[in-house]
Amino acid sequence: MSLRFYALDSPELRSMEQHGHFLMLGTKVALDLCCPNLAFYVNRAVKVSSLDATGSDPSAPLLSAMANDLTPTFDRHFCSDTWVDVDGTLVRVTLGCLPSGEASRHNCPAKPHAATEIVKSVANGEGPLRILLALTTADHAVALGTAVARAFPMYSRKSNGSSSASKPPRNVEVVFNMTMEALASCTFLGGQGVNFSSDSGSDEPGKQGEHQVFDASMTMVSRVEAMAAGIRLSARLVDAPANEMHTDAMVEEARQVLHRLRRLNLQDSVSMTVLRGEELREKGFGGLYGVGKAAEHPPALVVLSLVPRANERPASTPDTLKPSVVWVGKGIVYDTGGLSIKTKTGMPGMKRDMGGAAAILAAFEVAARLGYRKRPLHAILCLAENSVAAKATRPDDIHEMYSGKTVEINNTDAEGRLVLGDGVAYAVQHLAPSVLVDMATLTGAQGVATGLRHAALYCNDERLEAAAVEVGRATGDLTHPVPYAPEFFQHEFRSSVADMKNSVANRENAQCSCAGQFIGAQISEWLGGKGHGWIHVDMAYPVHNGERATGYGVNLLVGLLERL
C-alpha cells in the first residue's frame, strides 16, 4: 500500500475516486467545524466559494447530525459512518471522534493513541482511503500524522489464498485540514535546546531559533511523511520473525539504509562499520560475543555514522565539530533466555527484543533525510540471538566487557544489558559523545514501573530527562523517569569473583533502574565528566500494542535531536 501526506492546498491532491472511503478524524469541536465542507475535502473540483449560500454542501445536515450523536468519553473514542453522494461521487464517510476533554498531563495533548485505534478500525477495507486530520493546532501534526502510520503495518506473510493477501494494494491519503503556510507555524517539537557540549563555556539551555537543526526547505508535510516512513520501517523489522530477521538480515537492513542515503547525495557524509563473529571476541566485546556466540547467525556490532561535511554545517558551527550524539540499540533478534530459559508462555513474542535497534536504525535514516547536520550522529546496533546450544554462555561464566570490567553471569536471561554495556563503552571510547542515548526492550519491570505506553527513562541529567519527557508528550512517544540513584543500585551486582554480576540480588529494588545502572557502570568515568548526558530508555512494553509493533522510539529520538 502507499501512504502519502498532503496539506489542504497541496497541488498533488486530487478528487477522490468513486466508492472511496473518507475518514474525518479529530475532536468533536474540530469535526463540527469541518463537516460543512465535506465536498471540498472529497472533490478537489469543488471550491468552497461554489457551495450554497451558507458555505455548506447538501450532505452537511446529515454529517452535522452524525457529529452531534458522537458521544466520546475522556478515555474512549467514538466512530460513526454513512454513505454520501458528493457531487456525483459516492463516498463512505466515517467520523472518528477523539476522547473528550483535555489529555492528562502525562499524555500527549493530541491523543495519538486514540487516533491510531480509530484508523485501525477502517484500515482493512478495500478501495482508496482518504483521512482528514482535523487539527486544532499545527503543533499536533507530528503526533497525529505518525499515529496514522502506526495503523498500517508493512510486514505480512499471509498466503495468497487468504482474504487480506488477495486484496489489491490500498492507496491511503492523509490530508491535514491546514494549508502549507499554516502547517509551517508548527514548532515541530519546540522548546529550548539543551546544551551538553563539553567544550561550551555555558551550561545555559540554548534558545529556540538559534540554530536550524533540520533542512529548513522541507515542508512540515515532508517531515511528517519521513517520520511516518521511519515508524513503519521500525515496525516492519520488529514484526518479522527471527528465522527471517536474524542478525545477518539486520546487518543487511542497515546496509540498505546506507545505500538509500547515499542515493540522496550523502556519499561523503554517511558511513558504516560492521564487526561480527570472532572479530568481536578478538576486539574485546565480551558481553556481545558471549550472548550471541551460540546462535547460527553470529553476533554483530553495526556503527552507522552521519558526519556533516564542512559545506553542510550550520554557519554557527565552528570548523572543529561539536561532540557527537550517539544512539545505542539493543538488537536481540530472539531471546530464548539462554540456559536460564524462558517458559512456553514467556518466550513467544521475543522476536521483539530487537525493538531498540530497529527504532535507532529507522530514526537514523529519518534524521539524515530531514537534513540533520548540526553535529556528528552515530547509531550503534548491538545484534545477537540469545540461543541455547553447546556454545551457550552458562550461569557462573565470567565475561570481560569492552569497558574492561569483568562480569559473573548469574542469569543468562539478563542478556540485553551485556550487549548494551559493550555498545555504550565503545561509544564513549571512540565516538566522543556529549549525549548518549541507549534504547532497549530491557525489562519486564518496565511495564510494572511505567505501564504499557510510557517508556522508562534512567537519566543522569535533569535537563536532558525533562527534554525527553517533553518531546515524548509532543510526539506521542511517551516517557516517564524512574529513579536515578546509582548509590542505591550498584551494590545489587556485587560479586565475590568478578567486578560485578549481571543480575540483581534483590528483585524488589527498582529493577528497571538497576538494569539501567548496570549499563551506566560500563561508562562510569565518562559519566563523571563535565557536559555528558546519558539517557537509558527501556521501552519493553511500548514497542508493541497487542501482536503488532508500534514503531516506538523513532519520534522520540528524532525529536530529541532538535533539542540538543
Side-chain angles (χ1 to χ4, degrees):
M1 59 153 284
S2 65
L3 179 64
R4 297 296 309 274
F5 289 78
Y6 303 91
L8 198 57
D9 57 347
S10 294
E12 304 90 352
L13 191 59
R14 298 289 185 261
S15 298
M16 286 189 66
E17 299 176 25
Q18 188 83 354
H19 303 295
H21 192 166
F22 182 86
L23 169 64
M24 190 181 296
L25 191 158
T27 64
K28 198 169 190 304
V29 171
L31 294 178
D32 286 339
L33 293 174
C34 290
C35 280
N37 293 320
L38 174 69
F40 177 66
Y41 299 132
V42 170
N43 189 347
R44 300 300 291 174
V46 175
K47 304 299 181 183
V48 173
S49 60
S50 69
L51 301 177
D52 66 30
T54 63
S56 300
D57 62 71
S59 62
L62 172 61
L63 293 181
S64 295
M66 286 174 59
N68 288 334
D69 289 340
L70 297 173
T71 56
T73 62
F74 84 101
D75 63 345
R76 186 171 65 92
H77 61 271
F78 199 92
C79 294
S80 180
D81 65 9
T82 188
W83 285 89
V84 176
D85 186 329
V86 182
D87 195 39
T89 301
L90 189 61
V91 177
R92 180 186 172 190
V93 177
T94 298
L95 301 184
C97 190
L98 296 171
S100 60
E102 294 185 0
S104 59
R105 67 188 184 92
H106 288 144
N107 192 8
C108 174
K111 305 175 185 176
H113 67 287
T116 300
E117 295 304 313
I118 290 172
V119 177
K120 281 182 180 179
S121 70
V122 303
N124 291 324
E126 297 183 35
L129 171 64
R130 177 171 293 178
I131 301 171
L132 178 77
L133 293 181
L135 306 179
T136 54
T137 169
D139 283 346
H140 291 176
V142 173
L144 287 180
T146 55
V148 171
R150 300 182 202 275
F152 295 99
M154 298 174 69
Y155 182 83
S156 176
R157 287 299 302 270
K158 290 182 179 290
S159 63
N160 290 334
S162 69
S163 59
S164 60
S166 60
K167 295 176 182 176
R170 193 172 201 189
N171 295 322
V172 180
E173 300 172 332
V174 183
V175 184
F176 297 105
N177 68 325
M178 294 184 175
T179 64
M180 287 184 280
E181 182 179 3
L183 286 170
S185 68
C186 175
T187 57
F188 192 34
L189 301 171
Q192 292 184 323
V194 183
N195 190 344
F196 289 98
S197 177
S198 59
D199 61 356
S200 171
S202 171
D203 292 328
E204 294 299 316
K207 294 182 180 180
Q208 183 182 356
E210 284 185 350
H211 54 75
Q212 180 63 50
V213 176
F214 300 117
D215 183 354
S217 68
M218 292 188 72
T219 66
M220 177 53 59
V221 172
S222 297
R223 293 184 180 186
V224 173
E225 190 163 274
M227 295 179 77
I231 285 172
R232 296 183 73 211
L233 168 61
S234 175
R236 175 177 66 80
L237 300 177
V238 175
D239 277 338
N243 64 322
E244 298 176 11
M245 197 52 62
H246 42 71
T247 56
D248 292 338
M250 277 293 290
V251 172
E252 181 57 28
E253 290 284 349
R255 191 167 283 117
Q256 290 303 314
V257 166
L258 182 73
H259 292 335
R260 289 195 293 270
L261 294 179
R262 284 182 168 172
R263 287 198 293 269
L264 297 177
N265 195 30
L266 297 176
Q267 292 93 331
D268 298 332
S269 298
V270 292
S271 62
M272 176 174 162
T273 301
V274 180
L275 304 174
R276 87 180 5 146
E278 291 301 313
E279 188 177 8
L280 291 170
R281 179 185 61 79
E282 294 166 1
K283 294 195 173 183
F285 292 88
L288 178 56
Y289 177 79
V291 170
K293 64 182 179 179
E296 175 187 0
H297 298 276
L301 186 88
V302 177
V303 183
L304 288 159
S305 298
L306 175 64
V307 179
R309 294 173 288 198
N311 62 345
E312 293 179 326
R313 301 171 197 163
S316 60
T317 304
D319 290 338
T320 302
L321 283 175
K322 292 184 178 181
S324 67
V325 175
V326 181
W327 297 334
V328 183
K330 173 187 172 183
I332 301 297
V333 295
Y334 201 81
D335 183 17
T336 65
L339 293 180
S340 305
I341 198 163
K342 295 180 183 292
T343 65
K344 70 171 184 177
T345 56
M347 199 182 298
M350 284 299 105
K351 65 179 183 178
R352 306 186 189 105
D353 216 15
M354 39 70 77
I360 281 175
L361 176 60
F364 180 86
E365 180 171 10
V366 173
R369 287 183 177 276
L370 293 181
Y372 180 75
R373 300 291 184 274
K374 181 168 176 57
R375 64 178 73 197
L377 172 66
H378 306 281
I380 300 177
L381 313 180
C382 304
L383 306 175
E385 179 177 351
N386 191 17
S387 190
V388 178
K391 292 176 62 178
T393 289
R394 299 166 288 259
D396 295 336
D397 283 358
I398 294 177
H399 295 318
E400 183 173 348
M401 304 286 288
Y402 196 81
S403 65
K405 289 183 168 61
T406 55
V407 176
E408 178 188 2
I409 305 301
N410 61 334
N411 180 4
T412 64
D413 196 21
E415 84 299 330
R417 62 198 68 182
L418 296 170
V419 305
L420 283 174
D422 276 355
V424 297
Y426 178 89
V428 301
Q429 291 182 39
H430 301 287
L431 301 177
S434 61
V435 177
L436 177 62
V437 181
D438 74 78
M439 182 169 284
T441 52
L442 202 63
T443 67
Q446 178 270 304
V448 176
T450 59
L452 301 179
R453 297 188 184 273
H454 292 73
L457 298 180
Y458 187 68
C459 183
N460 74 320
D461 189 282
E462 187 175 8
R463 295 170 302 162
L464 187 57
E465 177 186 278
V469 171
E470 184 178 338
V471 167
R473 289 189 69 241
T475 65
D477 275 355
L478 299 171
T479 63
H480 196 78
V482 293
Y484 181 83
E487 60 269 36
F488 292 158
F489 307 134
Q490 189 59 43
H491 71 274
E492 295 289 351
F493 301 103
R494 286 175 182 162
S495 168
S496 298
V497 294
D499 293 328
M500 57 196 305
K501 294 184 178 181
N502 76 313
S503 190
V504 295
N506 181 2
R507 298 182 70 83
E508 295 181 354
N509 185 15
Q511 285 191 67
C512 197
S513 293
C514 284
Q517 179 52 35
F518 179 93
I519 299 164
Q522 312 308 313
I523 53 172
S524 54
E525 291 186 7
W526 179 84
L527 287 172
K530 180 182 178 182
H532 291 168
W534 167 56
I535 308 179
H536 162 65
V537 183
D538 189 342
M539 32 78 90
Y541 284 81
V543 75
H544 71 102
N545 183 7
E547 294 189 353
R548 281 295 197 174
T550 61
Y552 181 94
V554 175
N555 281 356
L556 178 63
L557 290 164
V558 175
L560 271 173
L561 279 182
E562 190 180 54
R563 300 294 310 278
L564 302 175

